[in-house]
Amino acid sequence: KALLDELKPKFIEGCASNGHPEDKAEKIWKDWEAFAAYAFNKSHSTCYSVVAFQTAYLKANYPEEYMASVLTNNMNDIKKVTFFMEECKRMGLDVLGPDVNESYYGFAVNKQNQVRFGLGAIKGVGAAAVHNMIEVRKKDGPFTSIFDMVKRIDLRSANKKTFESLVLGGAFDGFGNLRSQFFTQIPGENGVFLEKIIKYGNKYQNDLNSSQVSLFGGESGEEMPEPVFPLAEPWGEIEKLSKEKEVVGVYISGHPLDAFKVELKQYCSVRIGDLSNDLSKYKGMDVSFAGVVTEASHRVSKAGKPFGSFTIDGYNGSLSMFLFSSDYVSFKNFLAQGWFLYVKGKVQEKMYREGEFEVKIKSIEILQNVREKLTKTLTLKLNVKQIKSETISTLKEVFKRHKGKARIKMLIHHDDDDMSVHAMSRNSSVQVSNEFLKELEGLNIPYRLN
């Protein structure tokens, strides 16, 4: 009420400046006050507070079960699933991919208190197939292999698309087979190995159900030899994750940007998801961010001018951008699906569209080149207590093993006196590789790249 009262003079003055009579403005304000007194009444607010306390209690005391329930409730909205999976990470909860021996239709919690992805959240996997798998699993125990599974489930409820989606989503990873093996072409046969597995299951079940086979002592389905998995090269991490995202909607077993965590931490000023949520917050600011291109297109406008668009994915969201005129000429070669990009730009209002914002791109670099190109100096932050002869000797050995072009600085600080000293190495320079940074982290020495 106090805040509302502060706004009244502004409202009355605003009305008067626009030519409205003061008595009418007063009448409108009184009507608003009366409405506010009951529109959100005590019983209404009490209900909300009770629900708030209940959900807060559940989230605090049963975090895995609570988040599994929230994810299940939103599993048809991939943006919300992504958001709540980020919240799980923030809470320190493990969210595992789908597994035919542990997953249920919705998200659930396993015996290790980890959240397991729901099979119903995989595109192309129908509810009937999932419910049948769970029913069979509960009745006769977990599946020991993909062959055991196709022998036991009702194959009328699970078609080829069902199995393809389960493979791509990682639901069979627990059996120890490579995802690529399921899609390997069989020499001298039509189709891939996954089709052979389904045929094997169908034949086994047909033979088992055939009274004629058992009557005359023919070969029963139980004696049928299982097909042998073909040799196959594993998919690259990017290919595997992109296929996974196609059917699940999010990256689960990893993220394409995992190899670039150093670049994201040291050289990016903002996360892509933060930009996509509300660009207006960054109005007039220079920003730098990195991600993987998931969509790219080159088009021609009605006026016959070429332009391009691309979508770049980060850990917590994606951002779509357009390139016109000279920007398209400058950056069109970077519009390629699967490329990792480092982008610098400025957030500004769109031309002729008041209140709408965009990132005006200033430069684009291949993300793989950023660390070597931008890193001129490595600064190590050492506490005075760490300055021991063995520490210095170890650092010298590490520097020798990783010689390169980046100069070494040291920031030596004393916490008790709040004092620090900067020192530059004249003789040593290093290559800031992942192996080198891992060794620094093993020595518990914080660093900064410039």
Side-chain angles (χ1 to χ4, degrees):
K1 181 66 165 61
L3 293 173
L4 199 65
D5 291 340
E6 289 177 12
L7 294 173
K8 184 179 177 181
K10 295 181 181 179
F11 174 75
I12 301 299
E13 288 172 14
C15 289
S17 65
N18 283 304
H20 300 294
E22 186 174 339
D23 59 334
K24 286 189 176 181
E26 284 281 353
K27 173 68 169 58
I28 290 170
W29 187 263
K30 284 182 180 179
D31 288 343
W32 282 351
E33 283 185 327
F35 177 77
Y38 73 86
F40 196 77
N41 55 40
K42 288 183 179 179
S43 71
H44 195 161
S45 57
T46 301
C47 291
Y48 269 100
S49 65
V50 169
V51 172
F53 273 107
Q54 289 174 336
T55 53
Y57 174 84
L58 290 171
K59 188 174 183 181
N61 293 281
Y62 303 93
E64 296 87 2
E65 289 81 359
Y66 177 78
M67 291 308 295
S69 178
V70 170
L71 283 161
T72 298
N73 194 50
N74 293 279
M75 69 182 189
N76 292 323
D77 186 334
I78 200 59
K79 284 191 175 180
K80 288 186 177 180
V81 168
T82 304
F83 173 81
F84 288 119
M85 285 184 70
E86 282 291 317
E87 176 64 6
C88 287
K89 287 181 184 177
R90 188 197 66 76
M91 294 167 66
L93 304 182
D94 292 328
V95 180
L96 306 180
D99 184 285
V100 290
N101 273 329
E102 209 169 63
S103 294
Y104 290 86
Y105 186 79
F107 289 77
V109 180
N110 64 15
K111 292 178 182 178
Q112 290 76 41
N113 284 328
Q114 299 163 311
V115 178
R116 180 64 80 172
F117 212 88
L119 295 174
I122 304 176
K123 296 174 188 174
V125 179
V130 174
H131 294 315
N132 178 248
M133 289 176 203
I134 295 168
E135 184 183 339
V136 171
R137 191 178 74 202
K138 284 182 177 179
K139 182 182 176 184
D140 299 315
F143 305 112
T144 58
S145 68
I146 182 66
F147 303 111
D148 178 50
M149 182 176 167
V150 296
K151 287 177 183 178
R152 291 164 55 188
I153 68 168
D154 185 352
L155 292 174
R156 292 171 298 179
S157 67
N159 57 24
K160 180 185 172 185
K161 177 64 178 172
T162 302
F163 283 98
E164 286 178 346
S165 296
L166 289 170
V167 172
L168 296 177
F172 297 139
D173 286 0
F175 295 143
N177 308 115
L178 297 173
R179 298 182 196 181
S180 58
Q181 287 180 294
F182 290 93
F183 295 95
T184 300
Q185 190 76 33
I186 306 300
E189 297 183 26
N190 291 326
V192 295
F193 189 66
L194 179 59
E195 293 172 307
K196 191 168 185 176
I197 294 172
I198 298 170
K199 288 176 182 176
Y200 168 82
N202 278 313
K203 188 173 189 312
Y204 175 90
Q205 294 190 18
N206 288 336
D207 286 358
L208 198 65
N209 294 329
S210 170
S211 58
Q212 186 177 11
V213 169
S214 59
L215 180 63
F216 295 106
E219 188 181 57
S220 70
E222 294 178 20
E223 297 169 352
M224 285 175 57
E226 294 176 354
V228 178
F229 267 91
L231 296 175
E233 288 291 322
W235 287 332
E237 194 66 13
I238 303 302
E239 183 181 6
K240 180 182 119 178
L241 290 173
S242 63
K243 290 177 183 293
E244 185 177 285
K245 190 180 180 184
E246 281 178 25
V247 296
V248 180
V250 291
Y251 300 112
I252 305 175
S253 58
H255 196 283
L257 292 172
D258 285 344
F260 302 101
K261 287 184 177 179
V262 173
E263 287 80 357
L264 292 171
K265 182 179 179 181
Q266 299 289 333
Y267 292 113
C268 295
S269 65
V270 66
R271 301 193 304 173
I272 288 175
D274 298 332
L275 291 174
S276 61
N277 286 337
D278 187 3
L279 265 177
S280 63
K281 285 171 57 177
Y282 302 91
K283 180 182 179 181
M285 292 175 58
D286 289 318
V287 293
S288 55
F289 54 91
V292 56
V293 177
T294 54
E295 292 180 27
S297 63
H298 302 264
R299 292 178 271 177
V300 177
S301 69
K302 292 180 180 178
K305 296 181 179 179
F307 72 98
S309 66
F310 67 102
T311 299
I312 185 168
D313 270 21
Y315 273 109
N316 65 331
S318 60
L319 185 68
S320 295
M321 289 181 283
F322 289 84
L323 295 172
F324 299 99
S325 305
S326 58
D327 287 343
Y328 178 68
V329 174
S330 300
F331 305 121
K332 65 180 180 180
N333 291 334
F334 293 101
L335 271 60
Q337 190 173 348
W339 281 30
F340 295 89
L341 303 181
Y342 174 70
V343 182
K344 283 187 174 183
K346 185 172 185 177
V347 178
Q348 61 184 32
E349 208 164 27
K350 289 182 179 179
M351 193 177 294
Y352 310 122
R353 294 187 184 181
E354 189 176 345
E356 293 185 30
F357 296 88
E358 65 179 355
V359 177
K360 174 69 174 176
I361 296 175
K362 292 183 177 180
S363 67
I364 299 179
E365 296 278 356
I366 300 297
L367 187 54
Q368 286 90 332
N369 301 335
V370 164
R371 193 188 308 183
E372 184 177 353
K373 189 170 183 178
L374 298 185
T375 303
K376 308 298 180 188
T377 306
L378 166 75
T379 302
L380 304 179
K381 189 176 181 182
L382 291 167
N383 192 296
V384 167
K385 296 174 183 177
Q386 291 178 289
I387 309 298
K388 299 176 183 178
S389 57
E390 55 265 33
T391 306
I392 302 303
S393 297
T394 302
L395 279 174
K396 282 183 177 179
E397 289 299 317
V398 172
F399 295 160
K400 283 181 183 178
R401 287 197 297 272
H402 300 278
K403 289 184 178 181
K405 297 179 180 178
R407 300 186 68 189
I408 300 170
K409 283 184 181 180
M410 292 196 182
L411 174 61
I412 303 168
H413 62 96
H414 194 297
D415 292 336
D416 297 338
D417 298 330
D418 195 25
M419 296 175 63
S420 61
V421 175
H422 290 268
M424 173 73 79
S425 172
R426 294 181 179 178
N427 303 319
S428 299
S429 56
V430 294
Q431 180 185 12
V432 189
S433 63
N434 287 337
E435 293 77 14
F436 169 72
L437 295 178
K438 192 172 182 180
E439 290 195 52
L440 282 185
E441 290 165 4
L443 295 170
N444 198 27
I445 298 177
Y447 62 86
R448 186 177 70 248
L449 304 181
N450 301 100

